[in-house]
Amino acid sequence: MNRRRALQLLAALGTTGLAAACGSDTEGTSTPGSPIKIGLIVPGSGPNKAIGDEIVNGFQLFLSLNDQELGGHPVTVVQAEEGENAKSGQAAVDRLLKEGVIALTGVVSSAVMSGIRDTVEQARVPLVGSNASPASLQSVVYIWRTSYVLDEPGEALGRYLRESLDKSSRIAVFAPSNSSSKDVIDGFRRGYYEEGRRPIDGEILTPDKAELGKTVFSGAIHKALKNNKWPDAILCHYAGTQAVQFIKQLYAEGYRGPIYAPGFLTEGAVLSQLDDGELGAQRALIVKHGIETVLNYSADLNNTANRVFSSAYRKAHNTSPTTYAMASYDAAQVLDKAIRLAGGDPTPQQVNLALGKIGQIDSPRGPWQFNQPRTPQQKWYLRKVQLDGRMLSNVVITELATLG
């Protein structure tokens, strides 16, 4: 038994048992296949580079654990620069199609995903997106997503707060001015609202910039004050540098209440940048008043697939994996299954057809499967920022809704 097969069996035992794992090799071809190319679309610079790096890491980790093969075929990954808009995204797709890739993956920006939709559909080459997933992306045949639809984290969070906050609670909503924020806020309103509950008076939109000064949010935070009274809770949607600066400035302006957000707020290096040490005032505020987030993944989930994935990721990169890396790892996993089903000489169209037949995925996030719109039907988790030893960490508190 080689290393790849042993890991497949270990992951399969988490939910389906040895018999199911043994049966997987009977599907599709069992002989070595011809070399194939996969196109990976990610930003190599700009505000989304950190997420792009995570996506590359997650995809490459799956390959390293599986002899650099997908579905029994040796794989060459051809990387293309995503850029920040539809034009740059289309250029990336065009270049990869000329390279002869049988499938595409990656894509961080919602603007890029929306911009390349028609090009991908007309080319009839499957795209297994591992991050960008705007709610407006519907009625597609060749675009699949292993992340989430952007209104889902907002809806799961809204449902949770509907149950945990008093109906009269005043909530201030902050988010950058972009289409992703609209999706998240729409989902939150849908999950939170019920008859008799105080409505959200309106969101406070802030500049959508990668480089932010130490006071850029201060004016917006003042708008949350009504009759000299702080809101009962803050809901926000930020990530990366924006998340760090927003939380710092919120505390600097005197806020001392709970913060709720989709899990992007505290993913990646954010917590390490917020942590000012054992005697730090900022750490004390976070621990005392609380930051709770909702996400489809946490590195501390206790299942076999996640133990394999997170251990290998930490060994390779000396840090915990994020939802971005996990979704890209799963993109490789579903392509592995689909290419195996497609046979010895797969075409893009055969791979796309096979993607609809792969069934349940034994994922680090927990079991999930594609729904009719080609997005995951999956669990969402409540996480709280807590001290884990000497470091701030996202700790899973409970399971929330299953959406999709």
Side-chain angles (χ1 to χ4, degrees):
M1 182 180 293
N2 63 26
R3 183 186 182 198
R4 176 176 180 272
R5 184 70 184 126
L7 286 165
Q8 284 179 332
L9 289 175
L10 177 60
L13 282 170
T15 58
T16 60
L18 182 59
C22 290
S24 64
D25 272 355
T26 64
E27 298 172 337
T29 179
S30 60
T31 58
S34 57
I36 58 173
K37 292 181 180 179
I38 302 293
L40 181 58
I41 304 171
V42 287
S45 61
N48 290 329
K49 181 183 183 302
I51 298 176
D53 291 344
E54 289 277 323
I55 287 174
V56 172
N57 292 345
F59 199 88
Q60 293 290 357
L61 181 63
F62 184 90
L63 293 180
S64 72
L65 295 176
N66 290 274
D67 301 329
Q68 299 298 317
E69 293 182 353
L70 291 178
H73 295 258
V75 173
T76 298
V77 177
V78 185
Q79 193 165 317
E81 171 59 46
E82 174 179 325
E84 298 180 16
N85 53 50
K87 183 177 180 180
S88 59
Q90 288 174 359
V93 172
D94 289 342
R95 182 170 78 80
L96 292 172
L97 293 176
K98 290 178 181 178
E99 290 275 355
V101 300
I102 68 164
L104 303 163
T105 189
V107 188
V108 173
S109 165
S110 291
V112 171
M113 179 63 86
S114 297
I116 65 177
R117 176 191 187 278
D118 291 345
T119 302
V120 171
E121 292 287 293
Q122 291 167 11
R124 300 175 67 213
V125 173
L127 164 60
V128 182
S130 51
N131 186 65
S133 191
S136 59
L137 188 66
Q138 299 178 1
S139 301
V140 289
V141 176
Y142 282 85
I143 299 178
W144 308 73
R145 287 158 280 175
T146 59
S147 52
Y148 35 70
V149 180
L150 270 171
D151 57 358
E152 291 174 352
E155 181 175 353
L157 182 59
R159 291 187 186 187
Y160 167 64
L161 294 183
R162 187 179 66 198
E163 299 297 325
S164 58
L165 294 183
D166 186 85
K167 288 186 176 182
S168 62
S169 296
R170 299 173 63 252
I171 300 177
V173 180
F174 291 85
S177 181
N178 58 38
S179 60
S180 297
S181 295
K182 180 182 182 303
D183 286 345
V184 170
I185 294 170
D186 285 348
F188 175 75
R189 290 179 185 274
R190 184 168 62 250
Y192 181 73
Y193 181 76
E194 66 178 3
E195 188 173 354
R197 181 170 293 280
R198 184 186 181 98
I200 304 301
D201 297 329
E203 60 271 10
I204 300 169
L205 300 180
T206 57
D208 185 19
K209 299 179 180 179
E211 300 299 327
L212 300 168
K214 295 182 178 180
T215 60
V216 69
F217 292 113
S218 298
I221 291 170
H222 281 303
K223 292 183 180 180
L225 291 170
K226 294 183 178 179
N227 300 321
N228 298 317
K229 181 181 178 182
W230 280 105
D232 299 299
I234 295 289
L235 184 144
C236 59
H237 171 55
Y238 295 104
T241 303
Q242 292 186 346
V244 173
Q245 290 298 330
F246 177 77
I247 294 171
K248 285 183 175 181
Q249 292 173 41
L250 189 63
Y251 287 140
E253 290 294 324
Y255 181 68
R256 297 296 182 266
I259 300 172
Y260 301 100
F264 323 119
L265 184 76
T266 54
E267 281 291 272
V270 172
L271 290 181
S272 63
Q273 294 176 47
L274 287 172
D275 197 341
D276 51 2
E278 295 182 12
L279 301 179
Q282 193 163 264
R283 175 194 274 197
L285 288 171
I286 291 173
V287 173
K288 179 178 180 180
H289 297 288
I291 299 177
E292 294 187 356
T293 64
V294 171
L295 201 59
N296 62 342
Y297 175 70
S298 186
D300 66 336
L301 286 174
N302 186 20
N303 63 65
T304 303
N306 190 47
R307 287 193 291 272
V308 171
F309 167 67
S310 60
S311 176
Y313 194 93
R314 290 186 181 101
K315 183 177 180 180
H317 301 288
N318 197 31
T319 188
S320 294
T322 63
T323 188
Y324 315 119
M326 179 278 298
S328 189
Y329 180 89
D330 273 3
Q333 185 174 189
V334 301
L335 283 169
D336 177 67
K337 289 178 176 291
I339 292 167
R340 189 176 301 279
L341 286 172
D345 190 19
T347 66
Q349 295 75 35
Q350 289 170 337
V351 173
N352 194 69
L353 185 63
L355 283 166
K357 300 177 180 179
I358 60 177
Q360 191 174 85
I361 304 300
D362 187 20
S363 166
R365 76 187 85 178
W368 67 270
Q369 60 188 15
F370 282 121
N371 56 20
Q372 188 173 3
R374 289 160 159 69
T375 64
Q377 183 180 40
Q378 62 186 327
K379 293 177 181 177
W380 290 84
Y381 302 93
L382 176 68
R383 313 182 311 174
K384 187 171 184 177
V385 177
Q386 296 180 348
L387 284 174
D388 183 8
R390 296 184 176 182
M391 299 175 61
L392 291 175
S393 181
N394 295 301
V395 177
V396 169
I397 303 300
T398 188
E399 294 178 9
L400 296 176
T402 295
L403 298 177

